[in-house]
Amino acid sequence: GETEGFLWSGGLMLEYFNGAFGIYLPLINSSDIEDTYKQMEADIGGNFLSRISFSLDLNRLHPWRLIDRIEF
């Protein structure tokens, strides 16, 4: 099919642990993205929960600080 030429998604982003962990809930999308979601759901199954995405920023967790605290 024909595409809009501009893809967009709007939703709610929840961040935890100073932005190290995030959850994105897409609430509204361009018609091309919405069509892709619907096609994927028809092909492999799924629902709104399958659209939720997660992010993990290991740098914000300061892994070296955690390693320095480990005692042997």
Side-chain angles (χ1 to χ4, degrees):
E2 223 173 286
T3 62
E4 286 182 10
F6 183 71
L7 302 175
W8 56 270
S9 179
L12 181 64
M13 176 75 172
L14 305 172
E15 290 185 339
Y16 301 97
F17 307 110
N18 196 27
F21 180 74
I23 301 172
Y24 178 68
L25 307 157
L27 301 175
I28 187 168
N29 303 295
S30 65
S31 61
D32 289 333
I33 292 176
E34 197 63 36
D35 291 344
T36 300
Y37 279 143
K38 288 178 183 174
Q39 185 61 49
M40 286 179 14
E41 290 167 0
D43 291 345
I44 61 174
N47 54 27
F48 177 77
L49 294 177
S50 65
R51 298 179 184 196
I52 297 172
S53 61
F54 302 90
S55 65
L56 181 62
D57 185 347
L58 295 176
N59 285 323
R60 289 186 183 231
L61 290 176
H62 304 289
W64 301 119
R65 281 192 216 159
L66 296 175
I67 290 171
D68 287 342
R69 292 181 188 168
I70 296 175
E71 294 182 21
F72 292 98

Short mmCIF file of all heavy atoms in Angstrom, two decimals:
data_model
loop_
_atom_site.label_atom_id
_atom_site.label_comp_id
_atom_site.label_asym_id
_atom_site.label_seq_id
_atom_site.Cartn_x
_atom_site.Cartn_y
_atom_site.Cartn_z
N GLY A 1 0.79 -1.19 0.00
CA GLY A 1 0.00 0.00 0.00
C GLY A 1 0.84 1.26 0.00
O GLY A 1 2.06 1.22 0.07
N GLU A 2 0.18 2.34 -0.08
CA GLU A 2 0.83 3.64 -0.09
C GLU A 2 1.13 4.08 1.34
O GLU A 2 0.37 3.82 2.26
CB GLU A 2 -0.08 4.66 -0.74
CG GLU A 2 0.65 5.57 -1.69
CD GLU A 2 -0.31 6.46 -2.44
OE1 GLU A 2 -0.98 5.94 -3.34
OE2 GLU A 2 -0.38 7.65 -2.10
N THR A 3 2.26 4.75 1.53
CA THR A 3 2.63 5.20 2.87
C THR A 3 2.42 6.70 3.01
O THR A 3 2.43 7.42 2.03
CB THR A 3 4.11 4.89 3.18
OG1 THR A 3 4.93 5.59 2.24
CG2 THR A 3 4.40 3.40 3.10
N GLU A 4 2.23 7.13 4.24
CA GLU A 4 2.04 8.55 4.53
C GLU A 4 3.30 9.35 4.30
O GLU A 4 3.25 10.51 3.96
CB GLU A 4 1.63 8.74 6.00
CG GLU A 4 0.24 8.36 6.33
CD GLU A 4 -0.06 8.64 7.80
OE1 GLU A 4 0.74 9.28 8.49
OE2 GLU A 4 -1.11 8.19 8.24
N GLY A 5 4.46 8.74 4.51
CA GLY A 5 5.72 9.43 4.40
C GLY A 5 6.22 9.96 5.73
O GLY A 5 7.37 10.33 5.86
N PHE A 6 5.37 10.02 6.73
CA PHE A 6 5.77 10.50 8.05
C PHE A 6 5.23 9.53 9.08
O PHE A 6 4.02 9.37 9.23
CB PHE A 6 5.22 11.92 8.28
CG PHE A 6 5.65 12.52 9.57
CD1 PHE A 6 6.96 12.92 9.77
CD2 PHE A 6 4.75 12.68 10.61
CE1 PHE A 6 7.37 13.48 10.98
CE2 PHE A 6 5.14 13.23 11.82
CZ PHE A 6 6.46 13.63 11.99
N LEU A 7 6.13 8.85 9.78
CA LEU A 7 5.73 7.90 10.80
C LEU A 7 5.82 8.56 12.17
O LEU A 7 6.80 9.25 12.47
CB LEU A 7 6.64 6.67 10.77
CG LEU A 7 6.70 5.94 9.44
CD1 LEU A 7 7.74 4.82 9.50
CD2 LEU A 7 5.35 5.38 9.06
N TRP A 8 4.82 8.35 13.00
CA TRP A 8 4.82 8.93 14.33
C TRP A 8 4.08 8.03 15.29
O TRP A 8 3.27 7.20 14.91
CB TRP A 8 4.21 10.34 14.33
CG TRP A 8 2.82 10.38 13.77
CD1 TRP A 8 2.46 10.58 12.48
CD2 TRP A 8 1.60 10.18 14.49
NE1 TRP A 8 1.11 10.52 12.34
CE2 TRP A 8 0.54 10.29 13.56
CE3 TRP A 8 1.29 9.93 15.81
CZ2 TRP A 8 -0.79 10.14 13.92
CZ3 TRP A 8 -0.04 9.78 16.16
CH2 TRP A 8 -1.06 9.90 15.23
N SER A 9 4.44 8.17 16.56
CA SER A 9 3.81 7.40 17.62
C SER A 9 3.78 8.29 18.86
O SER A 9 4.76 8.96 19.17
CB SER A 9 4.60 6.12 17.90
OG SER A 9 4.02 5.39 18.95
N GLY A 10 2.67 8.28 19.57
CA GLY A 10 2.55 9.05 20.80
C GLY A 10 2.04 8.15 21.91
O GLY A 10 1.23 7.27 21.68
N GLY A 11 2.58 8.35 23.08
CA GLY A 11 2.15 7.51 24.18
C GLY A 11 2.68 7.99 25.50
O GLY A 11 3.01 9.16 25.67
N LEU A 12 2.79 7.07 26.41
CA LEU A 12 3.20 7.35 27.77
C LEU A 12 4.50 6.64 28.07
O LEU A 12 4.63 5.44 27.83
CB LEU A 12 2.10 6.86 28.74
CG LEU A 12 2.32 7.07 30.21
CD1 LEU A 12 2.37 8.56 30.54
CD2 LEU A 12 1.21 6.41 30.99
N MET A 13 5.50 7.40 28.56
CA MET A 13 6.79 6.83 28.93
C MET A 13 6.94 6.94 30.43
O MET A 13 6.83 8.03 31.00
CB MET A 13 7.91 7.60 28.23
CG MET A 13 9.29 7.16 28.61
SD MET A 13 9.66 5.60 27.83
CE MET A 13 11.36 5.42 28.22
N LEU A 14 7.16 5.81 31.07
CA LEU A 14 7.39 5.78 32.51
C LEU A 14 8.85 5.40 32.74
O LEU A 14 9.32 4.40 32.19
CB LEU A 14 6.48 4.74 33.17
CG LEU A 14 4.98 4.91 32.92
CD1 LEU A 14 4.22 3.72 33.46
CD2 LEU A 14 4.49 6.20 33.55
N GLU A 15 9.56 6.21 33.53
CA GLU A 15 10.96 5.92 33.82
C GLU A 15 11.15 5.68 35.31
O GLU A 15 10.51 6.32 36.15
CB GLU A 15 11.86 7.08 33.38
CG GLU A 15 11.95 7.21 31.88
CD GLU A 15 12.94 8.28 31.45
OE1 GLU A 15 13.25 9.17 32.26
OE2 GLU A 15 13.39 8.21 30.31
N TYR A 16 12.05 4.77 35.61
CA TYR A 16 12.37 4.41 36.98
C TYR A 16 13.88 4.38 37.16
O TYR A 16 14.63 4.27 36.19
CB TYR A 16 11.80 3.02 37.32
CG TYR A 16 10.30 2.95 37.15
CD1 TYR A 16 9.74 2.44 35.99
CD2 TYR A 16 9.45 3.40 38.14
CE1 TYR A 16 8.36 2.39 35.83
CE2 TYR A 16 8.07 3.35 38.00
CZ TYR A 16 7.54 2.84 36.84
OH TYR A 16 6.18 2.79 36.68
N PHE A 17 14.32 4.45 38.40
CA PHE A 17 15.74 4.37 38.74
C PHE A 17 16.55 5.42 37.99
O PHE A 17 17.52 5.11 37.30
CB PHE A 17 16.31 2.97 38.49
CG PHE A 17 15.53 1.89 39.16
CD1 PHE A 17 14.76 1.00 38.41
CD2 PHE A 17 15.52 1.77 40.54
CE1 PHE A 17 14.03 0.00 39.03
CE2 PHE A 17 14.77 0.77 41.16
CZ PHE A 17 14.03 -0.11 40.40
N ASN A 18 16.11 6.69 38.11
CA ASN A 18 16.81 7.82 37.50
C ASN A 18 16.95 7.65 35.98
O ASN A 18 17.96 7.99 35.39
CB ASN A 18 18.18 8.02 38.15
CG ASN A 18 18.77 9.37 37.84
OD1 ASN A 18 18.05 10.33 37.57
ND2 ASN A 18 20.08 9.45 37.86
N GLY A 19 15.94 7.09 35.35
CA GLY A 19 15.94 6.92 33.90
C GLY A 19 16.65 5.68 33.40
O GLY A 19 16.77 5.49 32.20
N ALA A 20 17.11 4.83 34.30
CA ALA A 20 17.83 3.62 33.89
C ALA A 20 16.88 2.58 33.29
O ALA A 20 17.27 1.80 32.43
CB ALA A 20 18.59 3.02 35.06
N PHE A 21 15.65 2.57 33.73
CA PHE A 21 14.66 1.61 33.23
C PHE A 21 13.42 2.37 32.79
O PHE A 21 12.96 3.27 33.49
CB PHE A 21 14.29 0.60 34.33
CG PHE A 21 13.27 -0.41 33.88
CD1 PHE A 21 13.64 -1.43 33.03
CD2 PHE A 21 11.96 -0.33 34.30
CE1 PHE A 21 12.70 -2.37 32.61
CE2 PHE A 21 11.02 -1.25 33.89
CZ PHE A 21 11.40 -2.27 33.04
N GLY A 22 12.92 2.04 31.61
CA GLY A 22 11.74 2.73 31.10
C GLY A 22 10.75 1.77 30.46
O GLY A 22 11.12 0.71 29.96
N ILE A 23 9.50 2.16 30.50
CA ILE A 23 8.42 1.42 29.85
C ILE A 23 7.68 2.40 28.95
O ILE A 23 7.33 3.50 29.39
CB ILE A 23 7.43 0.83 30.88
CG1 ILE A 23 8.15 -0.10 31.85
CG2 ILE A 23 6.29 0.09 30.18
CD1 ILE A 23 7.29 -0.56 33.01
N TYR A 24 7.46 2.03 27.69
CA TYR A 24 6.76 2.89 26.75
C TYR A 24 5.44 2.23 26.35
O TYR A 24 5.42 1.09 25.91
CB TYR A 24 7.60 3.16 25.51
CG TYR A 24 6.87 4.01 24.49
CD1 TYR A 24 6.58 5.35 24.76
CD2 TYR A 24 6.44 3.46 23.30
CE1 TYR A 24 5.89 6.12 23.85
CE2 TYR A 24 5.75 4.23 22.38
CZ TYR A 24 5.48 5.56 22.66
OH TYR A 24 4.79 6.32 21.76
N LEU A 25 4.34 2.96 26.52
CA LEU A 25 3.01 2.49 26.16
C LEU A 25 2.51 3.33 24.98
O LEU A 25 2.12 4.48 25.17
CB LEU A 25 2.05 2.64 27.34
CG LEU A 25 2.51 2.02 28.65
CD1 LEU A 25 1.82 2.67 29.82
CD2 LEU A 25 2.26 0.55 28.62
N PRO A 26 2.53 2.79 23.78
CA PRO A 26 2.04 3.55 22.62
C PRO A 26 0.52 3.66 22.66
O PRO A 26 -0.18 2.66 22.78
CB PRO A 26 2.53 2.73 21.42
CG PRO A 26 2.62 1.34 21.93
CD PRO A 26 2.99 1.45 23.39
N LEU A 27 0.02 4.88 22.59
CA LEU A 27 -1.43 5.09 22.67
C LEU A 27 -2.03 5.50 21.34
O LEU A 27 -3.19 5.20 21.06
CB LEU A 27 -1.73 6.15 23.74
CG LEU A 27 -1.24 5.82 25.15
CD1 LEU A 27 -1.50 6.98 26.09
CD2 LEU A 27 -1.90 4.54 25.65
N ILE A 28 -1.27 6.21 20.51
CA ILE A 28 -1.76 6.65 19.21
C ILE A 28 -0.60 6.60 18.23
O ILE A 28 0.54 6.92 18.58
CB ILE A 28 -2.40 8.05 19.31
CG1 ILE A 28 -3.05 8.44 18.00
CG2 ILE A 28 -1.41 9.07 19.79
CD1 ILE A 28 -3.94 9.67 18.10
N ASN A 29 -0.88 6.17 16.99
CA ASN A 29 0.15 5.99 15.99
C ASN A 29 -0.32 6.49 14.63
O ASN A 29 -1.52 6.58 14.38
CB ASN A 29 0.50 4.51 15.84
CG ASN A 29 0.93 3.88 17.14
OD1 ASN A 29 1.95 4.25 17.68
ND2 ASN A 29 0.14 2.95 17.64
N SER A 30 0.66 6.71 13.75
CA SER A 30 0.30 7.02 12.37
C SER A 30 -0.38 5.79 11.77
O SER A 30 -0.24 4.66 12.27
CB SER A 30 1.55 7.38 11.57
OG SER A 30 2.42 6.28 11.45
N SER A 31 -1.12 5.99 10.71
CA SER A 31 -1.87 4.87 10.12
C SER A 31 -0.95 3.77 9.63
O SER A 31 -1.29 2.59 9.70
CB SER A 31 -2.78 5.37 9.00
OG SER A 31 -2.01 5.95 7.96
N ASP A 32 0.25 4.12 9.14
CA ASP A 32 1.19 3.08 8.67
C ASP A 32 1.67 2.20 9.82
O ASP A 32 1.75 0.98 9.68
CB ASP A 32 2.39 3.72 7.98
CG ASP A 32 2.02 4.31 6.63
OD1 ASP A 32 1.07 3.83 6.01
OD2 ASP A 32 2.70 5.27 6.21
N ILE A 33 1.98 2.80 10.95
CA ILE A 33 2.40 2.01 12.11
C ILE A 33 1.24 1.17 12.62
O ILE A 33 1.40 -0.01 12.94
CB ILE A 33 2.97 2.93 13.22
CG1 ILE A 33 4.29 3.55 12.76
CG2 ILE A 33 3.15 2.15 14.52
CD1 ILE A 33 4.87 4.55 13.73
N GLU A 34 0.07 1.75 12.68
CA GLU A 34 -1.11 1.01 13.13
C GLU A 34 -1.40 -0.17 12.21
O GLU A 34 -1.71 -1.27 12.69
CB GLU A 34 -2.31 1.95 13.20
CG GLU A 34 -3.47 1.43 14.01
CD GLU A 34 -3.14 1.23 15.48
OE1 GLU A 34 -2.38 2.03 16.06
OE2 GLU A 34 -3.66 0.25 16.05
N ASP A 35 -1.28 0.02 10.91
CA ASP A 35 -1.47 -1.08 9.95
C ASP A 35 -0.45 -2.19 10.16
O ASP A 35 -0.77 -3.37 10.08
CB ASP A 35 -1.40 -0.57 8.51
CG ASP A 35 -2.57 0.32 8.14
OD1 ASP A 35 -3.59 0.32 8.87
OD2 ASP A 35 -2.47 1.03 7.11
N THR A 36 0.80 -1.80 10.45
CA THR A 36 1.85 -2.80 10.70
C THR A 36 1.54 -3.59 11.96
O THR A 36 1.67 -4.82 11.97
CB THR A 36 3.22 -2.11 10.83
OG1 THR A 36 3.51 -1.41 9.62
CG2 THR A 36 4.32 -3.11 11.11
N TYR A 37 1.11 -2.91 13.02
CA TYR A 37 0.72 -3.61 14.24
C TYR A 37 -0.41 -4.60 13.96
O TYR A 37 -0.37 -5.75 14.40
CB TYR A 37 0.25 -2.63 15.31
CG TYR A 37 1.35 -1.96 16.10
CD1 TYR A 37 1.22 -0.63 16.49
CD2 TYR A 37 2.48 -2.64 16.51
CE1 TYR A 37 2.21 -0.01 17.23
CE2 TYR A 37 3.47 -2.03 17.25
CZ TYR A 37 3.33 -0.71 17.61
OH TYR A 37 4.29 -0.09 18.36
N LYS A 38 -1.42 -4.17 13.23
CA LYS A 38 -2.56 -5.04 12.94
C LYS A 38 -2.14 -6.25 12.12
O LYS A 38 -2.61 -7.36 12.35
CB LYS A 38 -3.66 -4.25 12.23
CG LYS A 38 -4.37 -3.29 13.15
CD LYS A 38 -5.41 -2.48 12.41
CE LYS A 38 -6.05 -1.46 13.36
NZ LYS A 38 -6.97 -0.57 12.66
N GLN A 39 -1.24 -6.04 11.15
CA GLN A 39 -0.76 -7.15 10.32
C GLN A 39 0.05 -8.14 11.17
O GLN A 39 -0.12 -9.35 11.04
CB GLN A 39 0.10 -6.63 9.16
CG GLN A 39 0.53 -7.71 8.21
CD GLN A 39 -0.64 -8.40 7.53
OE1 GLN A 39 -1.53 -7.73 7.02
NE2 GLN A 39 -0.65 -9.71 7.52
N MET A 40 0.90 -7.63 12.04
CA MET A 40 1.68 -8.51 12.92
C MET A 40 0.77 -9.29 13.85
O MET A 40 0.98 -10.49 14.07
CB MET A 40 2.69 -7.69 13.75
CG MET A 40 3.86 -7.21 12.96
SD MET A 40 5.09 -6.21 13.85
CE MET A 40 4.74 -6.41 15.55
N GLU A 41 -0.26 -8.64 14.38
CA GLU A 41 -1.19 -9.33 15.27
C GLU A 41 -1.95 -10.42 14.53
O GLU A 41 -2.22 -11.48 15.08
CB GLU A 41 -2.14 -8.32 15.91
CG GLU A 41 -1.45 -7.43 16.92
CD GLU A 41 -2.27 -6.23 17.36
OE1 GLU A 41 -3.41 -6.06 16.88
OE2 GLU A 41 -1.76 -5.44 18.18
N ALA A 42 -2.28 -10.17 13.27
CA ALA A 42 -2.97 -11.18 12.47
C ALA A 42 -2.04 -12.35 12.14
O ALA A 42 -2.47 -13.51 12.14
CB ALA A 42 -3.51 -10.56 11.19
N ASP A 43 -0.77 -12.06 11.89
CA ASP A 43 0.20 -13.10 11.50
C ASP A 43 0.67 -13.94 12.68
O ASP A 43 0.73 -15.16 12.58
CB ASP A 43 1.42 -12.48 10.82
CG ASP A 43 1.10 -11.89 9.46
OD1 ASP A 43 0.03 -12.20 8.90
OD2 ASP A 43 1.93 -11.11 8.94
N ILE A 44 1.03 -13.29 13.78
CA ILE A 44 1.64 -14.03 14.89
C ILE A 44 0.86 -13.94 16.20
O ILE A 44 1.28 -14.47 17.21
CB ILE A 44 3.10 -13.57 15.13
CG1 ILE A 44 3.16 -12.09 15.50
CG2 ILE A 44 3.97 -13.86 13.94
CD1 ILE A 44 4.54 -11.59 15.89
N GLY A 45 -0.23 -13.25 16.17
CA GLY A 45 -1.02 -13.07 17.38
C GLY A 45 -0.49 -11.91 18.19
O GLY A 45 0.53 -11.32 17.87
N GLY A 46 -1.19 -11.56 19.21
CA GLY A 46 -0.77 -10.46 20.05
C GLY A 46 -1.93 -9.51 20.30
O GLY A 46 -3.01 -9.67 19.76
N ASN A 47 -1.64 -8.53 21.12
CA ASN A 47 -2.64 -7.53 21.49
C ASN A 47 -1.90 -6.27 21.92
O ASN A 47 -0.71 -6.11 21.62
CB ASN A 47 -3.55 -8.06 22.59
CG ASN A 47 -2.76 -8.56 23.78
OD1 ASN A 47 -1.66 -8.11 24.05
ND2 ASN A 47 -3.34 -9.50 24.51
N PHE A 48 -2.57 -5.39 22.64
CA PHE A 48 -1.93 -4.15 23.07
C PHE A 48 -0.67 -4.43 23.89
O PHE A 48 0.33 -3.72 23.77
CB PHE A 48 -2.90 -3.29 23.88
CG PHE A 48 -2.27 -2.03 24.40
CD1 PHE A 48 -2.04 -0.95 23.55
CD2 PHE A 48 -1.88 -1.94 25.72
CE1 PHE A 48 -1.43 0.20 24.02
CE2 PHE A 48 -1.28 -0.78 26.21
CZ PHE A 48 -1.06 0.28 25.35
N LEU A 49 -0.71 -5.46 24.72
CA LEU A 49 0.45 -5.76 25.56
C LEU A 49 1.69 -6.06 24.73
O LEU A 49 2.81 -5.77 25.16
CB LEU A 49 0.14 -6.94 26.49
CG LEU A 49 -0.94 -6.69 27.54
CD1 LEU A 49 -1.20 -7.97 28.34
CD2 LEU A 49 -0.55 -5.55 28.46
N SER A 50 1.53 -6.62 23.55
CA SER A 50 2.68 -6.92 22.70
C SER A 50 3.30 -5.67 22.09
O SER A 50 4.40 -5.71 21.56
CB SER A 50 2.30 -7.91 21.60
OG SER A 50 1.36 -7.33 20.72
N ARG A 51 2.62 -4.53 22.19
CA ARG A 51 3.14 -3.27 21.66
C ARG A 51 4.00 -2.52 22.68
O ARG A 51 4.72 -1.60 22.33
CB ARG A 51 1.99 -2.35 21.25
CG ARG A 51 1.13 -2.92 20.16
CD ARG A 51 0.01 -1.97 19.84
NE ARG A 51 -0.89 -2.51 18.84
CZ ARG A 51 -1.76 -1.80 18.16
NH1 ARG A 51 -1.86 -0.52 18.39
NH2 ARG A 51 -2.53 -2.37 17.27
N ILE A 52 3.93 -2.89 23.94
CA ILE A 52 4.67 -2.21 24.99
C ILE A 52 6.16 -2.50 24.81
O ILE A 52 6.56 -3.62 24.53
CB ILE A 52 4.20 -2.67 26.37
CG1 ILE A 52 2.73 -2.28 26.57
CG2 ILE A 52 5.06 -2.09 27.48
CD1 ILE A 52 2.11 -2.85 27.81
N SER A 53 6.98 -1.45 24.95
CA SER A 53 8.42 -1.65 24.84
C SER A 53 9.11 -1.21 26.13
O SER A 53 8.57 -0.44 26.92
CB SER A 53 8.99 -0.89 23.64
OG SER A 53 8.77 0.49 23.77
N PHE A 54 10.31 -1.72 26.30
CA PHE A 54 11.10 -1.47 27.50
C PHE A 54 12.47 -0.95 27.11
O PHE A 54 12.98 -1.28 26.04
CB PHE A 54 11.27 -2.77 28.30
CG PHE A 54 9.98 -3.39 28.70
CD1 PHE A 54 9.35 -4.31 27.90
CD2 PHE A 54 9.38 -3.06 29.91
CE1 PHE A 54 8.15 -4.89 28.26
CE2 PHE A 54 8.18 -3.62 30.29
CZ PHE A 54 7.56 -4.54 29.45
N SER A 55 13.07 -0.17 27.99
CA SER A 55 14.45 0.27 27.77
C SER A 55 15.24 0.09 29.06
O SER A 55 14.70 0.19 30.16
CB SER A 55 14.49 1.74 27.32
OG SER A 55 14.03 2.58 28.34
N LEU A 56 16.52 -0.21 28.89
CA LEU A 56 17.42 -0.39 30.02
C LEU A 56 18.73 0.31 29.68
O LEU A 56 19.40 -0.05 28.72
CB LEU A 56 17.66 -1.88 30.28
CG LEU A 56 18.56 -2.24 31.44
CD1 LEU A 56 17.98 -1.73 32.75
CD2 LEU A 56 18.76 -3.74 31.51
N ASP A 57 19.07 1.35 30.44
CA ASP A 57 20.29 2.12 30.24
C ASP A 57 21.29 1.72 31.32
O ASP A 57 21.23 2.21 32.46
CB ASP A 57 19.98 3.61 30.30
CG ASP A 57 21.18 4.48 29.98
OD1 ASP A 57 22.32 3.96 29.94
OD2 ASP A 57 20.98 5.69 29.76
N LEU A 58 22.19 0.82 30.98
CA LEU A 58 23.13 0.30 31.97
C LEU A 58 24.07 1.37 32.49
O LEU A 58 24.51 1.30 33.65
CB LEU A 58 23.93 -0.86 31.37
CG LEU A 58 23.09 -2.09 31.01
CD1 LEU A 58 23.96 -3.14 30.35
CD2 LEU A 58 22.41 -2.66 32.24
N ASN A 59 24.40 2.36 31.67
CA ASN A 59 25.28 3.44 32.15
C ASN A 59 24.67 4.20 33.31
O ASN A 59 25.38 4.64 34.21
CB ASN A 59 25.60 4.41 31.01
CG ASN A 59 26.59 3.84 30.05
OD1 ASN A 59 27.52 3.14 30.45
ND2 ASN A 59 26.41 4.12 28.78
N ARG A 60 23.36 4.36 33.32
CA ARG A 60 22.71 5.08 34.42
C ARG A 60 22.65 4.26 35.70
O ARG A 60 22.41 4.80 36.77
CB ARG A 60 21.31 5.51 34.02
CG ARG A 60 21.34 6.62 33.00
CD ARG A 60 19.95 7.12 32.75
NE ARG A 60 19.98 8.13 31.73
CZ ARG A 60 19.42 9.31 31.85
NH1 ARG A 60 18.78 9.64 32.94
NH2 ARG A 60 19.50 10.18 30.88
N LEU A 61 22.84 2.97 35.58
CA LEU A 61 22.88 2.12 36.78
C LEU A 61 24.24 2.18 37.46
O LEU A 61 24.41 1.66 38.56
CB LEU A 61 22.54 0.67 36.42
CG LEU A 61 21.10 0.39 36.02
CD1 LEU A 61 20.94 -1.05 35.61
CD2 LEU A 61 20.16 0.72 37.16
N HIS A 62 25.23 2.76 36.80
CA HIS A 62 26.59 2.90 37.33
C HIS A 62 27.15 1.54 37.75
O HIS A 62 27.43 1.30 38.93
CB HIS A 62 26.62 3.87 38.51
CG HIS A 62 26.07 5.21 38.16
ND1 HIS A 62 26.72 6.09 37.32
CD2 HIS A 62 24.92 5.83 38.52
CE1 HIS A 62 26.00 7.18 37.20
NE2 HIS A 62 24.89 7.05 37.90
N PRO A 63 27.31 0.62 36.79
CA PRO A 63 27.76 -0.74 37.15
C PRO A 63 29.14 -0.76 37.81
O PRO A 63 29.41 -1.62 38.64
CB PRO A 63 27.77 -1.47 35.82
CG PRO A 63 27.85 -0.41 34.78
CD PRO A 63 27.14 0.77 35.36
N TRP A 64 30.01 0.18 37.47
CA TRP A 64 31.35 0.17 38.08
C TRP A 64 31.27 0.50 39.56
O TRP A 64 32.05 -0.03 40.36
CB TRP A 64 32.28 1.12 37.33
CG TRP A 64 32.41 0.73 35.89
CD1 TRP A 64 32.07 1.49 34.81
CD2 TRP A 64 32.84 -0.52 35.37
NE1 TRP A 64 32.27 0.78 33.65
CE2 TRP A 64 32.75 -0.46 33.96
CE3 TRP A 64 33.29 -1.70 35.95
CZ2 TRP A 64 33.10 -1.52 33.13
CZ3 TRP A 64 33.64 -2.77 35.12
CH2 TRP A 64 33.54 -2.67 33.74
N ARG A 65 30.35 1.35 39.95
CA ARG A 65 30.18 1.64 41.38
C ARG A 65 29.72 0.38 42.12
O ARG A 65 30.15 0.11 43.22
CB ARG A 65 29.17 2.75 41.60
CG ARG A 65 29.73 4.10 41.38
CD ARG A 65 28.75 5.14 41.91
NE ARG A 65 28.79 6.29 41.06
CZ ARG A 65 27.84 7.20 40.96
NH1 ARG A 65 26.75 7.09 41.68
NH2 ARG A 65 27.95 8.23 40.15
N LEU A 66 28.83 -0.35 41.48
CA LEU A 66 28.34 -1.59 42.11
C LEU A 66 29.46 -2.61 42.23
O LEU A 66 29.59 -3.29 43.25
CB LEU A 66 27.18 -2.17 41.28
CG LEU A 66 25.91 -1.32 41.18
CD1 LEU A 66 24.94 -1.98 40.22
CD2 LEU A 66 25.28 -1.15 42.56
N ILE A 67 30.29 -2.70 41.19
CA ILE A 67 31.41 -3.65 41.23
C ILE A 67 32.42 -3.25 42.31
O ILE A 67 32.95 -4.10 43.02
CB ILE A 67 32.09 -3.74 39.84
CG1 ILE A 67 31.14 -4.44 38.86
CG2 ILE A 67 33.42 -4.47 39.92
CD1 ILE A 67 31.57 -4.41 37.43
N ASP A 68 32.67 -1.95 42.45
CA ASP A 68 33.61 -1.49 43.47
C ASP A 68 33.13 -1.83 44.88
O ASP A 68 33.94 -1.98 45.81
CB ASP A 68 33.82 0.04 43.37
CG ASP A 68 34.64 0.42 42.16
OD1 ASP A 68 35.34 -0.47 41.60
OD2 ASP A 68 34.60 1.60 41.76
N ARG A 69 31.84 -1.95 45.08
CA ARG A 69 31.29 -2.26 46.41
C ARG A 69 31.37 -3.74 46.77
O ARG A 69 31.15 -4.11 47.93
CB ARG A 69 29.82 -1.81 46.47
CG ARG A 69 29.67 -0.33 46.43
CD ARG A 69 28.21 0.05 46.53
NE ARG A 69 28.04 1.48 46.29
CZ ARG A 69 26.88 2.05 46.09
NH1 ARG A 69 25.77 1.33 46.10
NH2 ARG A 69 26.80 3.33 45.87
N ILE A 70 31.65 -4.57 45.78
CA ILE A 70 31.71 -6.01 46.04
C ILE A 70 32.98 -6.30 46.85
O ILE A 70 34.08 -5.87 46.50
CB ILE A 70 31.73 -6.82 44.72
CG1 ILE A 70 30.41 -6.60 43.97
CG2 ILE A 70 31.96 -8.30 44.99
CD1 ILE A 70 30.36 -7.25 42.61
N GLU A 71 32.81 -7.05 47.92
CA GLU A 71 33.94 -7.42 48.76
C GLU A 71 34.24 -8.90 48.58
O GLU A 71 33.33 -9.73 48.52
CB GLU A 71 33.63 -7.12 50.22
CG GLU A 71 33.48 -5.65 50.52
CD GLU A 71 33.23 -5.39 51.98
OE1 GLU A 71 33.56 -6.27 52.81
OE2 GLU A 71 32.69 -4.32 52.29
N PHE A 72 35.51 -9.20 48.47
CA PHE A 72 35.93 -10.60 48.31
C PHE A 72 36.60 -11.09 49.56
O PHE A 72 37.19 -10.43 50.32
CB PHE A 72 36.91 -10.74 47.13
CG PHE A 72 36.24 -10.48 45.82
CD1 PHE A 72 36.33 -9.23 45.21
CD2 PHE A 72 35.50 -11.47 45.19
CE1 PHE A 72 35.72 -8.99 43.99
CE2 PHE A 72 34.89 -11.22 43.97
CZ PHE A 72 35.00 -9.98 43.37
#
